Amino acid sequence: MYKMKELVLIALLGTFAGCGGSSDNSHLVDAEPIKKAVIQVDKLTVDVHKNSFDITTKLLNDVGSMLHSVAIINESVGNRLDLSMKLANTLAKPVGITETYKSLFGIAKDYNSTSPAFTVGTLTNNYFLLSSVTPFFLEKKTVKGYFKDESSLSDVWVKALADANKSKNLYFSIVEIDKNNITHKVSNALLIKSADLQKL
């Protein structure tokens, strides 16, 4: 940029010297236009530097934002993988009753179309038998049956099997709804494969 400024100054000096008129060297060149031209060149230099600084700052800010976004994405993916692994481990476990409810519930060795796979003791809270074609027990794909004792559990078990699409696998689980309307998992999911379901 400085070389360019020097070239502009030389050109301006030459131009104004040439315009100085005649062969009479007694006339002095008016310095005011040269001064204005130099100021204009200096302003141009400052503007170029300012634009470069602004662009560089914006690029650095964009890169910083992008790196922050990448960090958030990495954390999100990591959390998702962790949850997926935990879910896979949970689904891989054989059906069983969670520790808190082992005194109230059990797993029956044999079950059929009228005898449920779960046994119950004396119940005081609200319990639901969930049946679903997905191990995730999604809201629109899950049937809930309320029960309060062994007899009502048998009733909701029979109904769930009767209403099931026997061409698909069926998952069962029990949940408790406590007095504060908080849901607690009582059992892991019990899987009945479609081939076995058709025999019930």
Side-chain angles (χ1 to χ4, degrees):
M1 183 57 69
Y2 289 111
K3 287 185 180 178
M4 181 180 167
K5 190 160 89 171
E6 289 169 8
L7 289 172
V8 169
L9 286 173
I10 292 168
L12 286 170
L13 284 171
T15 303
F16 287 115
C19 293
S22 60
S23 58
D24 183 2
N25 292 330
S26 62
H27 296 294
L28 294 175
V29 175
D30 186 2
E32 193 60 33
I34 296 174
K35 183 179 173 185
K36 287 182 180 177
V38 170
I39 290 170
Q40 193 63 33
V41 170
D42 281 341
K43 184 178 180 308
L44 177 63
T45 303
V46 170
D47 288 346
V48 168
H49 284 302
K50 184 179 182 304
N51 286 341
S52 297
F53 176 78
D54 290 345
I55 290 169
T56 304
T57 303
K58 185 178 184 310
L59 285 173
L60 287 173
N61 288 338
D62 289 346
V63 169
S65 297
M66 185 178 71
L67 289 175
H68 182 65
S69 298
V70 168
I72 290 172
I73 290 168
N74 282 341
E75 184 180 358
S76 176
V77 169
N79 289 341
R80 228 175 263 149
L81 286 172
D82 187 44
L83 288 173
S84 297
M85 289 301 293
K86 285 180 180 175
L87 178 61
N89 289 337
T90 300
L91 295 177
K93 288 180 182 177
V95 64
I97 305 300
T98 57
E99 198 62 39
T100 310
Y101 296 94
K102 283 189 175 177
S103 62
L104 296 174
F105 292 90
I107 303 297
K109 291 182 180 179
D110 296 310
Y111 59 86
N112 55 42
S113 59
T114 57
S115 180
F118 302 97
T119 60
V120 299
T122 303
L123 304 178
T124 55
N125 285 337
N126 298 317
Y127 296 91
F128 290 85
L129 178 71
L130 308 181
S131 58
S132 179
V133 294
T134 166
F136 307 107
F137 295 96
L138 301 176
E139 182 65 31
K140 292 184 179 179
K141 295 187 176 183
T142 300
V143 176
K144 303 176 190 83
Y146 170 76
F147 67 93
K148 59 183 179 179
D149 52 28
E150 190 173 356
S151 175
S152 54
L153 173 60
S154 293
D155 291 342
V156 295
W157 173 266
V158 168
K159 185 172 186 337
L161 288 176
D163 294 343
N165 180 350
K166 292 185 169 59
S167 66
K168 295 182 178 180
N169 294 340
L170 191 61
Y171 295 86
F172 285 95
S173 185
I174 293 175
V175 296
E176 175 196 14
I177 309 294
D178 69 17
K179 291 168 185 171
N180 297 316
N181 286 325
I182 297 172
T183 303
H184 304 274
K185 184 176 77 166
V186 173
S187 72
N188 295 334
L190 164 74
L191 166 64
I192 303 179
K193 293 185 177 179
S194 60
D196 297 327
L197 197 58
Q198 290 167 18
K199 297 173 187 175
L200 294 178

